[in-house]
Amino acid sequence: MPSEIDIVTSQTLLRDLAAIVGKRHVLTQDSATRPYATGYRYGAGPVLAVVRPASPLEQFRVFAACVAADVIVIAQAANTGLTGGSTPDGLYDRPVVIINTMRIKGVHLLGAGEQVVCLAGATLFELERLLSPIGREPHSVIGSSCIGASVIGGVCNNSGGALIRRGPAYTELALYARATADGRVDLVNHLGIDLGSDAEAMLSAVAKGWFGAAAAPGVASTPDYAERVRAVDAPSPARFNADATRLFEASGCAGKLMVLAVRLDTFPKDRRTATFYIGTNDPGELDVLRRRALGELRHLPVSGEYIHREAFDVAARYGKDVFVAIERFGTDRLPLFFALKNRLDRLGAALRWLPDHFSDRTLQAASRLLPQHLPPRMRAWRDRFEHHLILKVADEGIEETRALLASLFPSADGDLFECTPLEAKKAFLHRFAVAGAALRYRAIHAPAVGEIIALDVALRRNDRDWREQLPPGIGACIDRALYYGHFFCHVFHQDYVLKPGIDPVALEHRMWRLLDERGARYPAEHNVGHLYQAGPELAAHYRTLDPGNRLNPGIGQTSRQRHWGDGESCC
């Protein structure tokens, strides 16, 4: 039970927060905080409040007030993570305040748009929309695993993305607030842009894009990924979250800094593209294609997305509404779609006589009324082939890729077709829909199925036996296994819907041992969250950024105690 002093301090803090952002943006009722305090796939816990600042200055002031009150701070943007890294995880020794940044919109172009400065709530949608008219793209384009993902969330989590040529989200140029060991809050400007020296003036300037001097040079993307991914004989993964070469201040901080803005490179948009849909019953054929494409093509492909037949089937049925919503209304309207889902969830929680998973059941029933959404050739390839690869290439790479593919297909086990523009759009939408399909499948079939284990795995670049073969003792525990991923980077998403009564934690640990034996690294791009144990280098990175352990304590299964428990008794 909290002491009277804790209660008084908490009430004082809530009044201070309301004075900064307005009372309506300090949420304290359980019904209001639940959507923020519950992870997209994993994690939940009680919170003192959810605070929604509207500017970098409010964000900084809220953070400073929370540090002064000695509460735990969890920074959160769109809450689209899959490992619970931006939500509470059970109980803590101090009250928890979530600072949700999604009201802090804003992207500022630098120069002719070769770089951008993104504020804490800027999304990939917002960034894509701004860059498209000037013929440029961000690091990641829509096709990430979650709708509405924030730009800064990707940087803080070293998110990988689907684009072969660009590698993980990374920058060494950021504006952030840091809590010191003795409880001070420092504002650190490493954007490479002169914002002055007064904190409030700096934050107002970055909010409005008032950049007087030219930006100094600096690293604002992953510079060497093309060479790394081409090294197909290297005995290590091309990319994974805990790669020490990709941990730098905001990059990979996992919420251990209060990131206010980041500076990032943008990239020229491709002039022409072609998409090939490849199917095979021999996984070795895809391995040969990957090795030859990365080793022989002068121009790297744009993306190479893998889908197994079982994932294809589950997405075709249980991801149909998301597919159709994007196709018909565009990505701009998707927040409205998910807002409707949240309203249905709240209605289901309020009216106890409604069935569990009310929104999923309602949307699934509606999707059955929709016409067939997948093209005939994709459905025919589903019937013929177990393994599917969607290969997109651009500009000078188109003709050389056609020639390479013509030397490999058709074969005894595989074939391909070159997509029309409509088929290409639908193929990538279908791949996108796979990511949420396991959740819908479980919701519709509960309680006849158990929990979900979701792994994202980076295989060694020289691993030719990429297709997972589970031992019978593990396979017998699984109702559905969905495999999909970024094939040329050798990063795979593996979602397992378990049979009822199976302990997901125990089974996942058995799976980890199998991955360790294969030399794989995990997680590959969704960060450790509260599911995975941070290795020594990653844990040291967290301690350096947050010596008092005030932000997101327990991340990566590290200590939850003040000052990391150094010299303190266990709470």
Side-chain angles (χ1 to χ4, degrees):
M1 292 292 291
S3 68
E4 291 185 10
I5 295 176
D6 292 333
I7 294 172
V8 171
T9 301
S10 295
Q11 293 303 313
T12 301
L13 174 61
L14 293 177
R15 286 195 296 271
D16 292 343
L17 296 176
I20 296 169
V21 303
K23 188 174 181 180
R24 65 188 295 256
H25 297 298
V26 180
L27 312 179
T28 57
Q29 296 296 318
D30 181 66
S31 59
T33 61
R34 188 182 301 115
Y36 301 90
T38 303
Y40 179 75
R41 260 191 187 169
Y42 175 87
V47 298
L48 174 65
V50 174
V51 190
R52 303 177 66 241
S55 69
L57 180 56
E58 287 188 0
Q59 182 184 359
F60 179 77
R61 286 174 172 171
V62 166
F63 177 57
C66 290
V67 172
D70 195 27
V71 299
I72 286 169
V73 175
I74 296 178
Q76 179 189 86
N79 191 17
T80 58
L82 303 185
T83 57
S86 59
T87 53
D89 181 49
L91 300 175
Y92 298 82
D93 62 334
R94 292 155 282 166
V96 175
V97 173
I98 294 175
I99 301 178
N100 182 277
T101 63
M102 293 307 290
R103 292 179 66 221
I104 311 173
K105 301 297 185 184
V107 177
H108 306 300
L109 298 179
L110 297 179
E114 296 91 352
Q115 289 189 327
V116 291
V117 172
C118 296
L119 302 187
T123 65
L124 286 175
F125 294 131
E126 183 183 356
L127 183 52
E128 274 193 279
R129 190 166 55 242
L130 180 69
L131 293 175
S132 183
I134 61 173
R136 298 191 72 83
E137 290 181 334
H139 161 269
S140 296
V141 298
I142 299 311
S144 302
S145 61
C146 300
I147 293 290
S150 71
V151 176
I152 283 183
V155 171
C156 293
N157 291 307
N158 288 134
S159 296
L163 302 182
I164 297 168
R165 298 172 292 186
R166 298 179 193 170
Y170 181 76
T171 186
E172 296 177 4
L173 307 171
L175 175 69
Y176 59 86
R178 177 178 181 269
T180 64
D182 58 359
R184 291 180 295 105
V185 173
D186 291 339
L187 181 61
V188 180
N189 178 18
H190 286 171
L191 281 174
I193 298 172
D194 185 8
L195 299 174
S197 57
D198 177 75
E200 295 203 2
M202 292 168 65
L203 295 168
S204 296
V206 79
K208 296 173 182 176
W210 291 347
F211 307 139
V219 177
S221 62
T222 307
D224 60 348
Y225 188 69
E227 290 74 21
R228 286 181 63 88
V229 77
R230 283 189 183 276
V232 293
D233 290 316
S236 61
R239 58 178 171 90
F240 58 97
N241 284 131
D243 184 349
T245 65
R246 298 291 178 260
L247 301 176
F248 187 91
E249 297 181 353
S251 295
C253 73
K256 285 293 186 178
L257 296 173
M258 182 57 58
V259 183
L260 301 155
V262 294
R263 178 176 149 201
L264 295 166
D265 289 331
T266 69
F267 303 87
K269 211 170 186 179
D270 297 317
R271 300 184 304 276
R272 296 180 300 124
T273 62
T275 299
F276 302 92
Y277 199 99
I278 302 158
T280 182
N281 292 313
D282 177 7
E285 288 192 327
L286 295 187
D287 176 69
V288 170
L289 170 58
R290 171 182 171 270
R291 293 178 65 86
R292 289 193 59 184
L294 294 177
E296 298 175 16
L297 295 180
R298 292 183 299 113
H299 302 91
L300 280 175
V302 175
S303 61
E305 294 297 288
Y306 170 76
I307 311 177
H308 184 262
R309 178 188 279 156
E310 189 162 13
F312 184 109
D313 290 345
V314 172
R317 183 169 181 181
Y318 298 97
K320 186 177 182 181
D321 55 324
V322 171
F323 179 110
V324 173
I326 298 174
E327 182 181 40
R328 295 191 180 180
F329 304 115
T331 54
D332 288 349
R333 298 294 183 89
L334 281 176
L336 296 176
F337 177 82
F338 283 93
L340 170 62
K341 187 178 186 301
N342 287 335
R343 288 194 190 99
L344 290 174
D345 285 333
R346 288 196 294 269
L347 179 63
L351 303 177
R352 299 300 179 89
W353 50 270
L354 290 174
D356 291 339
H357 308 291
F358 177 61
S359 67
D360 286 297
R361 294 182 184 278
T362 301
L363 293 170
Q364 187 63 28
S367 72
R368 296 191 188 103
L369 303 177
L370 299 171
Q372 174 58 248
H373 60 300
L374 297 179
R377 287 202 288 183
M378 281 180 62
R379 301 200 307 271
W381 252 238
R382 179 265 166 225
D383 293 339
R384 291 177 60 188
F385 303 114
E386 180 181 1
H387 306 284
H388 298 232
L389 182 68
I390 310 164
L391 181 60
K392 183 177 181 180
V393 295
D395 299 328
E396 292 82 1
I398 294 175
E399 293 305 324
E400 64 173 349
T401 303
R402 280 199 184 108
L404 173 60
L405 291 173
S407 72
L408 297 173
F409 300 101
S411 67
D413 294 295
D415 203 351
L416 65 82
F417 63 86
E418 186 168 345
C419 297
T420 66
L422 181 60
E423 287 174 327
K425 178 182 177 182
K426 286 178 175 284
F428 282 107
L429 279 178
H430 186 55
R431 159 63 184 88
F432 177 82
V434 176
L439 290 173
R440 175 66 60 79
Y441 175 86
R442 178 182 177 272
I444 297 303
H445 292 278
V449 298
E451 299 295 325
I452 290 178
I453 294 174
L455 301 177
D456 59 298
V457 177
L459 299 184
R460 297 170 300 180
R461 284 167 283 177
N462 67 346
D463 194 343
R464 307 197 67 164
D465 188 17
W466 59 270
R467 178 77 171 99
E468 181 177 65
Q469 299 293 333
L470 292 172
I474 291 179
C477 300
I478 296 171
D479 177 80
R480 290 272 193 167
L482 310 186
Y483 295 93
Y484 54 102
H486 316 305
F487 189 74
F488 280 53
C489 300
H490 251 197
V491 169
F492 293 88
H493 301 289
Q494 302 174 182
D495 295 345
Y496 310 91
V497 183
L498 306 184
K499 292 180 179 179
I502 301 298
D503 181 348
V505 175
L507 187 64
E508 184 168 5
H509 288 180
R510 292 173 64 188
M511 291 178 167
W512 291 354
R513 289 193 288 272
L514 295 176
L515 294 172
D516 292 339
E517 291 170 4
R518 297 177 67 187
R521 297 297 297 263
Y522 51 91
E525 60 183 13
H526 291 148
N527 220 319
V528 290
H530 289 286
L531 282 177
Y532 301 93
Q533 184 173 4
E537 289 180 319
L538 188 58
H541 181 58
Y542 295 158
R543 288 185 69 123
T544 299
L545 299 179
D546 180 23
N549 206 17
R550 302 171 188 276
L551 293 90
N552 216 358
I555 197 76
Q557 300 180 16
T558 57
S559 170
R560 296 182 177 222
Q561 298 175 58
R562 290 179 180 87
H563 302 286
W564 302 87
D566 296 341
E568 294 187 7
S569 60
C570 183
C571 59

